Amino acid sequence: IMSVVCFTIESLPAYYNRDLLSFFIFETICVVWFTLELLTRLATCPSVREFFKSFLNWIDFVAIAPYYLDAVMTISGAGGGSAKQLLVLRVIRLTRVFRVFKLSKYNEGVQVVIATLANSTDALSLLFFLMTLTIVLFGSGIYFAEQTAAYWDEQNRTWIRKPEYGGEHKLQSIPYGFWWCLVTVTTVGYGDIYPVTFYGYAVGVLAMLSGLFIVAFPIIIIGAKFTEVRDQFRRRKEEALRIRQTRLTKGKSQDNIEPPPSKLETDAEALRHLILKFE
């Protein structure tokens, strides 16, 4: 958490691009700690193959790799090169936010969500299919509907909105319509692209109503899966706690039971009874 907080603070204007030593030292300490943890788990794991199959282990690797790549690029001088090289370096540094996924190993709620998504592939596939179909249908529809409010400028190869409608015509192609439809169907509504004609309004209403149904059906299925997975986690937790309590109870019972006498103690007791009998 502290590593992600430090990474966030570095983006503030007061600290941006200042390369403060305190941030570098703190980042180095975090990376060294994460590296030792990852190497220790790799050295003590029963199966190396299973270790590399774990998604969380790859998250740990991706979280520490940018530090070493950044150091190599800085030492080699690539960090101060062209704008393209600087962009690559910034993208590498951005991947440090993957460290926040390390919390999923210690948070049961995140594990429940991951398991729910893994068990909801059918619902997610249905959502993707319906969303794609809707975007293609209404994205194309809004493009042709809004052409009534614009005219084609052959010289500049662009659509220009008619003066009576005002503003800039942003639906220059069907892919722009896809973006508008995605924002509308998911009820986000950025407002960067909007219809201005009656036909565009009609397409927008149909897209919004369709989005409610398309998003609602898979979400209901995923919600039911979430409840099922959460109950499974609770049952496993209760079962593990019950087994632990049973083992502790058996251990205490065995400690209270006196061990059977040894052969030497038995012979000594028999000899004592024999002496008392002769006396």
Side-chain angles (χ1 to χ4, degrees), residues 39-178:
L39 293 177
T40 301
R41 287 192 283 110
L42 176 60
T44 57
C45 69
S47 174
V48 178
R49 178 178 297 180
E50 294 298 327
F51 180 86
F52 284 106
K53 285 183 179 180
S54 174
F55 174 74
L56 294 178
N57 291 333
W58 281 104
I59 289 295
D60 293 341
F61 175 76
V62 172
I64 63 176
Y67 176 85
Y68 298 105
L69 292 176
D70 189 2
V72 171
M73 294 182 67
T74 303
I75 294 174
S76 62
S82 63
K84 185 176 181 180
Q85 292 173 332
L86 290 175
L87 178 61
V88 173
L89 183 59
R90 288 171 182 172
V91 172
I92 292 174
R93 289 175 176 173
L94 178 63
T95 55
R96 289 186 293 174
V97 299
F98 281 99
R99 292 174 187 170
V100 74
F101 288 101
K102 291 170 65 68
L103 299 176
S104 61
K105 296 188 297 184
Y106 314 106
N107 192 307
E108 181 179 336
V110 177
Q111 296 177 8
V112 171
V113 172
I114 294 175
T116 300
L117 295 178
N119 294 331
S120 304
T121 54
D122 294 340
L124 294 175
S125 300
L126 176 63
L127 176 61
F128 178 78
F129 172 76
L130 293 178
M131 188 69 70
T132 303
L133 187 63
T134 303
I135 289 174
V136 172
L137 177 62
F138 291 106
S140 304
I142 194 67
Y143 169 73
F144 290 107
E146 288 299 294
Q147 281 186 356
T148 58
Y151 62 90
W152 177 252
D153 186 358
E154 184 65 31
Q155 182 178 359
N156 297 320
R157 305 291 300 174
T158 184
W159 287 94
I160 299 178
R161 183 170 291 179
K162 296 177 181 179
E164 58 267 27
Y165 291 98
E168 179 185 358
H169 189 78
K170 296 185 178 181
L171 284 165
Q172 295 293 327
S173 61
I174 291 180
Y176 284 95
F178 291 166

